[in-house]
Short mmCIF file of all heavy atoms in Angstrom, two decimals:
data_model
loop_
_atom_site.label_atom_id
_atom_site.label_comp_id
_atom_site.label_asym_id
_atom_site.label_seq_id
_atom_site.Cartn_x
_atom_site.Cartn_y
_atom_site.Cartn_z
N MET A 269 100.57 102.90 103.86
CA MET A 269 101.06 102.07 102.77
C MET A 269 102.00 101.01 103.31
O MET A 269 102.85 101.30 104.15
CB MET A 269 101.78 102.94 101.73
CG MET A 269 100.89 103.96 101.04
SD MET A 269 101.76 104.90 99.76
CE MET A 269 103.00 105.74 100.73
N THR A 270 101.86 99.81 102.83
CA THR A 270 102.68 98.71 103.33
C THR A 270 103.73 98.25 102.32
O THR A 270 104.53 97.37 102.62
CB THR A 270 101.80 97.51 103.70
OG1 THR A 270 101.05 97.10 102.55
CG2 THR A 270 100.84 97.90 104.83
N GLY A 271 103.71 98.84 101.12
CA GLY A 271 104.69 98.44 100.11
C GLY A 271 104.62 99.32 98.89
O GLY A 271 103.79 100.22 98.79
N ALA A 272 105.53 99.06 97.94
CA ALA A 272 105.61 99.87 96.73
C ALA A 272 104.33 99.81 95.91
O ALA A 272 103.95 100.78 95.27
CB ALA A 272 106.80 99.42 95.88
N SER A 273 103.65 98.67 95.95
CA SER A 273 102.43 98.54 95.15
C SER A 273 101.34 99.48 95.66
O SER A 273 100.55 100.01 94.86
CB SER A 273 101.93 97.09 95.19
OG SER A 273 101.63 96.69 96.52
N ASP A 274 101.30 99.71 96.97
CA ASP A 274 100.33 100.65 97.53
C ASP A 274 100.62 102.07 97.05
O ASP A 274 99.72 102.83 96.70
CB ASP A 274 100.35 100.62 99.06
CG ASP A 274 99.75 99.34 99.62
OD1 ASP A 274 99.04 98.65 98.87
OD2 ASP A 274 100.01 99.04 100.81
N GLY A 275 101.90 102.43 97.03
CA GLY A 275 102.28 103.76 96.56
C GLY A 275 101.92 103.96 95.10
O GLY A 275 101.40 105.01 94.71
N ARG A 276 102.19 102.95 94.28
CA ARG A 276 101.86 103.03 92.86
C ARG A 276 100.35 103.14 92.67
O ARG A 276 99.87 103.89 91.82
CB ARG A 276 102.41 101.81 92.13
CG ARG A 276 102.33 101.90 90.62
CD ARG A 276 102.97 100.70 89.96
NE ARG A 276 104.41 100.62 90.26
CZ ARG A 276 104.96 99.78 91.11
NH1 ARG A 276 104.19 98.93 91.79
NH2 ARG A 276 106.26 99.77 91.33
N ARG A 277 99.61 102.40 93.45
CA ARG A 277 98.15 102.44 93.35
C ARG A 277 97.63 103.82 93.72
O ARG A 277 96.74 104.36 93.06
CB ARG A 277 97.55 101.38 94.27
CG ARG A 277 96.02 101.38 94.30
CD ARG A 277 95.51 100.31 95.25
NE ARG A 277 94.07 100.34 95.37
CZ ARG A 277 93.37 99.53 96.15
NH1 ARG A 277 93.99 98.59 96.85
NH2 ARG A 277 92.06 99.63 96.21
N ASN A 278 98.17 104.40 94.79
CA ASN A 278 97.72 105.73 95.21
C ASN A 278 98.03 106.78 94.16
O ASN A 278 97.22 107.67 93.89
CB ASN A 278 98.38 106.11 96.54
CG ASN A 278 97.78 105.36 97.72
OD1 ASN A 278 96.72 104.75 97.60
ND2 ASN A 278 98.48 105.38 98.84
N VAL A 279 99.23 106.71 93.56
CA VAL A 279 99.59 107.68 92.52
C VAL A 279 98.66 107.53 91.32
O VAL A 279 98.19 108.52 90.75
CB VAL A 279 101.06 107.51 92.10
CG1 VAL A 279 101.36 108.34 90.85
CG2 VAL A 279 101.99 107.94 93.24
N GLN A 280 98.39 106.29 90.93
CA GLN A 280 97.52 106.06 89.78
C GLN A 280 96.12 106.62 90.02
O GLN A 280 95.51 107.22 89.13
CB GLN A 280 97.43 104.56 89.47
CG GLN A 280 96.60 104.25 88.23
CD GLN A 280 97.16 104.91 86.98
OE1 GLN A 280 98.32 104.68 86.63
NE2 GLN A 280 96.37 105.74 86.32
N THR A 281 95.59 106.44 91.21
CA THR A 281 94.26 106.96 91.49
C THR A 281 94.25 108.49 91.53
O THR A 281 93.25 109.11 91.17
CB THR A 281 93.70 106.38 92.80
OG1 THR A 281 94.65 106.54 93.85
CG2 THR A 281 93.38 104.90 92.65
N CYS A 282 95.35 109.08 91.94
CA CYS A 282 95.48 110.55 91.88
C CYS A 282 95.44 111.02 90.42
O CYS A 282 94.74 111.98 90.08
CB CYS A 282 96.77 111.01 92.53
SG CYS A 282 96.80 110.91 94.32
N LEU A 283 96.20 110.35 89.58
CA LEU A 283 96.22 110.71 88.16
C LEU A 283 94.83 110.54 87.54
O LEU A 283 94.40 111.37 86.74
CB LEU A 283 97.24 109.85 87.41
CG LEU A 283 98.70 109.96 87.86
CD1 LEU A 283 99.60 109.09 86.98
CD2 LEU A 283 99.18 111.41 87.85
N ASP A 284 94.13 109.48 87.92
CA ASP A 284 92.78 109.25 87.40
C ASP A 284 91.83 110.38 87.82
O ASP A 284 91.00 110.84 87.03
CB ASP A 284 92.24 107.91 87.90
CG ASP A 284 92.96 106.72 87.28
OD1 ASP A 284 93.63 106.90 86.25
OD2 ASP A 284 92.86 105.61 87.85
N ALA A 285 91.95 110.81 89.09
CA ALA A 285 91.09 111.88 89.58
C ALA A 285 91.36 113.19 88.86
O ALA A 285 90.44 113.94 88.53
CB ALA A 285 91.29 112.06 91.09
N LEU A 286 92.63 113.48 88.60
CA LEU A 286 93.00 114.69 87.87
C LEU A 286 92.44 114.67 86.46
O LEU A 286 91.92 115.67 85.96
CB LEU A 286 94.51 114.85 87.85
CG LEU A 286 95.17 115.23 89.18
CD1 LEU A 286 96.66 114.96 89.15
CD2 LEU A 286 94.90 116.70 89.50
N LYS A 287 92.52 113.51 85.80
CA LYS A 287 92.00 113.39 84.45
C LYS A 287 90.48 113.52 84.42
O LYS A 287 89.91 114.14 83.52
CB LYS A 287 92.44 112.06 83.83
CG LYS A 287 93.94 111.98 83.55
CD LYS A 287 94.34 110.60 83.04
CE LYS A 287 95.84 110.54 82.79
NZ LYS A 287 96.27 109.19 82.34
N ARG A 288 89.83 112.96 85.43
CA ARG A 288 88.36 113.09 85.50
C ARG A 288 87.95 114.55 85.65
O ARG A 288 86.91 114.98 85.15
CB ARG A 288 87.79 112.28 86.67
CG ARG A 288 87.71 110.79 86.44
CD ARG A 288 86.76 110.13 87.44
NE ARG A 288 87.21 110.29 88.82
CZ ARG A 288 88.07 109.45 89.43
NH1 ARG A 288 88.57 108.43 88.76
NH2 ARG A 288 88.42 109.65 90.68
N ALA A 289 88.80 115.30 86.34
CA ALA A 289 88.50 116.73 86.55
C ALA A 289 88.79 117.56 85.30
O ALA A 289 88.41 118.73 85.25
CB ALA A 289 89.32 117.26 87.73
N GLY A 290 89.49 116.97 84.32
CA GLY A 290 89.76 117.68 83.09
C GLY A 290 91.20 118.10 82.89
O GLY A 290 91.53 118.80 81.93
N ALA A 291 92.09 117.69 83.80
CA ALA A 291 93.50 118.06 83.68
C ALA A 291 94.18 117.25 82.58
O ALA A 291 93.89 116.06 82.41
CB ALA A 291 94.23 117.83 85.01
N ALA A 292 95.05 117.89 81.84
CA ALA A 292 95.80 117.21 80.78
C ALA A 292 97.07 116.63 81.40
O ALA A 292 98.10 117.29 81.51
CB ALA A 292 96.15 118.19 79.67
N ILE A 293 96.99 115.39 81.83
CA ILE A 293 98.10 114.72 82.51
C ILE A 293 98.77 113.76 81.54
O ILE A 293 98.12 112.88 80.96
CB ILE A 293 97.61 113.95 83.74
CG1 ILE A 293 96.90 114.90 84.72
CG2 ILE A 293 98.76 113.23 84.42
CD1 ILE A 293 97.77 116.00 85.26
N SER A 294 100.08 113.93 81.36
CA SER A 294 100.80 113.12 80.37
C SER A 294 101.67 112.03 80.98
O SER A 294 102.17 111.18 80.26
CB SER A 294 101.68 114.03 79.51
OG SER A 294 102.67 114.68 80.31
N VAL A 295 101.87 112.06 82.30
CA VAL A 295 102.77 111.09 82.92
C VAL A 295 102.01 109.85 83.38
O VAL A 295 100.79 109.87 83.53
CB VAL A 295 103.52 111.72 84.11
CG1 VAL A 295 104.28 112.95 83.68
CG2 VAL A 295 102.56 112.05 85.25
N LYS A 296 102.77 108.79 83.63
CA LYS A 296 102.21 107.54 84.13
C LYS A 296 102.70 107.29 85.55
O LYS A 296 103.78 107.77 85.94
CB LYS A 296 102.62 106.38 83.22
CG LYS A 296 102.14 106.54 81.78
CD LYS A 296 102.64 105.41 80.91
CE LYS A 296 102.20 105.56 79.47
NZ LYS A 296 102.73 104.48 78.60
#
């Protein structure tokens, strides 16, 4: 990661993967 935007992008894609798997994720 080269900056904060990369970290935010990685977290968002993790949340997306969890939701695709069926997890009830409430955070952003």
Side-chain angles (χ1 to χ4, degrees):
M269 296 183 297
T270 58
S273 61
D274 289 343
R276 189 176 297 104
R277 177 181 176 181
N278 286 346
V279 170
Q280 183 60 57
T281 51
C282 287
L283 299 182
D284 291 343
L286 288 163
K287 291 176 181 178
R288 283 197 299 273
I293 302 298
S294 63
V295 303
K296 300 177 181 178

